[in-house]
Amino acid sequence: MAQADKKKWDAKYTGREGSGQHDPWLDTIAHLLPDKGAALDVAGGAGRNALWMARRGLRVTLTDISTVGMEIALGQASREGLSLSLLAADLDSDPLSEGPWDIVMCLNFLDRRLFGDFKRLLAPGGVLVFAQPTLSNLQRHKHPSERYLLQDGELPELVQGLDIRLYEEGWADSGRYEARVVARKGED
């Protein structure tokens, strides 16, 4: 499965110019996020959101299965004079990079097993930023398939133990039905 996923995502990014525009939702939640420290972008592809965090002054590590996507991100970071660390990983079998992280960001990738790691890897006061479509998205879209969708209302349960600073679920400007959360780890 890992090789098939890598091949699929490498093919998607091959020939692409630049990393693309960051998720506009990040601009609306920027006031809830640290602007210094270490950040981990999980399954971040070509780095559009990782670069947004680096522009804000964070030390960012981008992890993804696609080396082609990560090379695009690194090229864009270099052109902008930004520092970006890369970690090739198959999240089905490879562990996440040890923290502690001031931000763990995971947008548009769902593996419920990772939520325990997200919580463990956050620094005290660190923030998890997560967004993923739910089953209601199938009302208008065939993809992602049910396998890759949250149940409606499921996300707050997955982040139990963290302080939810923002939770929203509904039709987003992107046209997708998404659940989104910004949740903070206690200071211990």
Side-chain angles (χ1 to χ4, degrees), residues 101-116:
W101 300 102
D102 298 294
I103 298 177
V104 173
M105 181 177 296
C106 185
L107 304 183
N108 303 308
F109 178 79
L110 178 61
D111 183 340
R112 289 169 180 86
R113 297 172 302 172
L114 293 177
F115 280 89

Side-chain angles (χ1 to χ4, degrees), residues 50-58 73-74 76-85:
L51 291 166
W52 179 83
M53 290 189 288
R55 289 179 196 115
R56 288 176 43 94
L58 291 142
L74 189 59
Q76 184 66 38
S78 178
R79 285 187 291 280
E80 293 185 38
L82 300 170
S83 177
L84 183 66
S85 298

